[in-house]
Amino acid sequence: MNGFNRALLVLTGIVGLLSVSILLLGVYDVPQLTRYTDQWQTQDWYIYTILTIGIFLAVIFLIMLMTGLVAKPKPKRYTIQTGEGRITVSKETIEKTVYESLKQFQGLRTPNVNVDIDSKRERVRVFIDCAVFNREGLPTLGKDIQTHVKERIESLMEVPVADVTLHIHDTKLKTSERVI
């Protein structure tokens, strides 16, 4: 979030809290302030103050509503800044590369790949959830999968991979399995 947006949020928060405080003083009796609020409420401009506060809050909430309805999340991409310009690699491209690299391992079923991209820290994390059918030496196989996926992404796409998390589950699940 840039500085302007932060300053705008802080200003809006302060004005909103002051507005709510003024509205609450009109409703609740505070012993030290009751005399002043009673005098203020008898003034002609009291109604205009309440209307202005109400309009201000309505506009703020309307902006929040429209932002929530209209705003689209930024697509997940890995951005590489080069001397000639900017290169972006989408999350789907990295996931497809992982699926392609998993094809070399026999007995993998129902792979589910999720990629977490953090462009600011320049790192990519890969999460793989799969079942293994008719294989022995699962820790060795898991390490081979992790190493292969990491090397494949880094060599093919030149994207640094922070870590590859692999979860191997039971093959006797009652779901339909996709064989690679």
Side-chain angles (χ1 to χ4, degrees), residues 7 14 16 28 34 36 43 54 58-59 67 77 80 93-94 102-103 107 109 111 145 151-152 169 175:
I14 290 171
Y28 292 109
T34 303
Y36 298 114
Q43 299 291 325
V59 167
T67 303
R77 297 180 185 159
I80 304 166
T93 302
I94 298 172
L102 291 175
K103 285 185 178 180
R109 296 194 177 189
I145 291 172
E151 289 173 356
R152 174 85 176 186
H169 55 83
T175 61

Side-chain angles (χ1 to χ4, degrees), residues 29-45:
D29 289 331
V30 179
Q32 293 84 7
L33 300 175
T34 303
R35 184 173 49 129
Y36 298 114
T37 57
D38 287 342
Q39 288 176 358
W40 179 44
Q41 289 175 352
T42 59
Q43 299 291 325
D44 291 335
W45 52 272

Side-chain angles (χ1 to χ4, degrees), residues 3 8 14-16 23 26 51 58-61 72 75 79-80 84 86 92 98 109 119 124 168-169 172:
L8 186 64
I14 290 171
V15 171
L23 288 175
L51 282 174
V59 167
I60 294 298
F61 291 133
K72 295 179 183 174
T79 304
I80 304 166
E84 290 80 25
R86 190 180 325 176
E92 292 80 20
V98 173
R109 296 194 177 189
S119 289
V124 173
I168 299 173
H169 55 83
K172 296 177 183 167

Side-chain angles (χ1 to χ4, degrees), residues 74-81 86-89 94 116-124 159-160:
K74 292 175 84 175
K76 284 292 201 173
R77 297 180 185 159
Y78 185 80
T79 304
I80 304 166
Q81 190 68 33
R86 190 180 325 176
I87 300 170
T88 58
V89 180
I94 298 172
D116 182 32
I117 299 173
D118 189 356
S119 289
K120 290 183 181 178
R121 294 187 183 139
E122 294 185 355
R123 71 178 180 193
V124 173
V159 173

Side-chain angles (χ1 to χ4, degrees), residues 76 91 94-96 98-99 102 110-118 123-130 145-146 149-150 153 161-168:
K76 284 292 201 173
K91 177 181 176 181
I94 298 172
E95 286 178 352
K96 188 174 180 180
V98 173
Y99 279 119
L102 291 175
T110 64
N112 185 14
V113 176
N114 189 11
V115 175
D116 182 32
I117 299 173
D118 189 356
R123 71 178 180 193
V124 173
R125 292 180 170 207
V126 179
F127 302 96
I128 303 170
D129 185 23
C130 64
I145 291 172
Q146 287 176 322
V149 166
K150 182 175 180 172
I153 292 172
V161 177
D163 63 37
V164 177
T165 303
L166 177 65
H167 174 69
I168 299 173

